[in-house]
Amino acid sequence: MNQPAVPRILVFDSGVGGLSVTARVHEAMPYASIVYLADNAAFPYGDQPDAVVIERCCTLIAGALEQYPCDAVVIACNTASTIALPHLRRVMDVPVVGVVPALKPAAAKTRNHRIGLLATPATVRRTYIDQLIEEFAVGCQVERVGHPGLVQWAEGLVRGVAVPQAELDQAVEGLRGAAVDTVVLGCTHYPLLLDSLKRSLPGVRFWVDSGEAIARRVEWLLAQAGKSASPDEQGGEPRVPVVDALFSGPAPKGVTGFMAAQGLQPRVVTENWPGTS
Ligand code: DGL
């Protein structure tokens, strides 16, 4: 029997935050193979000059595609998406899907027209956030909180370090004060902190991130390219969803177990990739 080729997707982030998006991609397309690439040697991207982010994204993603040809690339990082997306699209010959804070769906959900935007300091100060609010959240009060701790706490979870709840409570104090009923998770690391965030802000009704929308977009793009395959068609799901988890720095201790717990068991974890960065 002729087996259709299994589509392969490259998911990129500066760290482990993109795993929150990878989980949604895997849920939507369990038949697809995933390569995960984290530029953790340069984490966090929010502290890097734009030119460095552009150069690193373009070089690392091109290198990964050479090793693992893919049908689509997901930039599962708000910072990298804002800075590098146009450059990547110019040089890649596969579709590149980026992520933006989900202000539009949040505006559709909020009942009291008060939305919290939780993102990295680098993301909250970008002018494209003003544009998103003007375009999609007119009439809503949007309270922005950009805190450097949250990405670090999410990374710590991989190593088994508990989230410092009291510090998190303090970090999101501005959202409590603004009585928001909806919070946009404007950084792909934050869905990993959702349980702790819910404890900090029990009054919030809607938590919105971009993972599902990205997964739907990738699924659509692959279908357009004739690259979708149902598990039945290709004779069952791949044994492991993530064929390789590439880290530009040392692999975070505990990452294999962390990924497995999210249904993202990696076949191989490669660190200090590609060996010259
Ligand atoms: N996951 C990245 C994002 O969504 C982390 C930010 C960073 O590296 O600064 O923006």
Side-chain angles (χ1 to χ4, degrees):
M1 194 180 75
N2 252 355
Q3 284 197 355
V6 174
R8 195 193 277 152
I9 301 160
L10 177 69
V11 184
F12 175 82
D13 184 28
S14 55
V16 296
L19 292 174
S20 70
V21 177
T22 309
R24 300 290 84 77
V25 167
H26 177 54
E27 261 166 34
M29 290 157 280
Y31 46 84
S33 285
I34 295 168
V35 177
Y36 190 76
L37 169 60
D39 186 11
N40 64 331
F43 175 85
Y45 266 8
D47 292 352
Q48 302 284 356
D50 287 8
V52 171
V53 172
I54 292 166
E55 207 276 316
R56 292 191 68 92
C57 286
C58 290
T59 307
L60 289 173
I61 292 170
L65 289 175
E66 222 172 276
Q67 186 172 342
Y68 292 107
C70 288
D71 301 296
V73 175
V74 177
I75 307 301
C77 173
N78 289 266
T79 315
S81 294
T82 345
I83 299 170
L85 213 49
H87 301 268
L88 286 163
R89 286 187 171 141
R90 257 202 304 278
V91 295
M92 303 288 150
D93 54 11
V94 290
V96 184
V97 179
V99 56
V100 288
L103 279 156
K104 189 180 177 183
K109 281 182 189 290
T110 179
R111 298 284 180 270
N112 69 1
H113 305 288
R114 293 176 189 192
I115 299 172
L117 171 62
L118 199 54
T120 62
T123 297
V124 289
R125 62 170 180 259
R126 302 244 161 224
T127 49
Y128 90 112
I129 296 293
D130 302 319
Q131 290 159 13
L132 284 176
I133 293 171
E134 262 171 45
E135 201 172 340
F136 300 121
V138 180
C140 294
Q141 179 193 324
V142 179
E143 183 71 22
R144 306 177 199 199
V145 168
H147 193 281
L150 275 72
V151 279
Q152 304 289 354
W153 299 331
E155 291 281 327
L157 283 174
V158 180
R159 303 188 302 272
V161 180
V163 177
Q165 191 69 45
E167 283 180 61
L168 180 63
D169 290 350
Q170 234 173 22
V172 299
E173 184 53 45
L175 301 186
R176 197 176 303 108
V180 300
D181 72 349
T182 303
V183 173
V184 176
L185 301 175
C187 169
T188 55
H189 279 73
Y190 297 174
L192 304 175
L193 298 171
L194 191 56
D195 290 345
S196 306
L197 285 166
K198 284 182 173 172
R199 272 195 289 279
S200 286
L201 296 167
V204 170
R205 290 180 66 186
F206 305 106
W207 296 90
V208 192
D209 68 67
S210 312
E212 272 177 35
I214 293 172
R216 276 199 305 272
R217 174 82 185 143
V218 176
E219 197 177 10
W220 183 84
L221 283 166
L222 292 181
Q224 291 297 302
K227 292 283 172 65
S228 56
S230 74
D232 289 347
E233 278 170 325
Q234 54 96 39
E237 296 175 12
R239 262 184 315 118
V240 294
V242 177
V243 288
D244 201 344
L246 304 162
F247 291 89
S248 63
K253 202 166 169 283
V255 75
T256 303
F258 185 79
M259 289 179 70
Q262 296 176 70
L264 299 172
Q265 175 76 40
R267 180 179 298 151
V268 183
V269 173
T270 306
E271 53 186 353
N272 303 316
W273 184 88
T276 49
S277 56

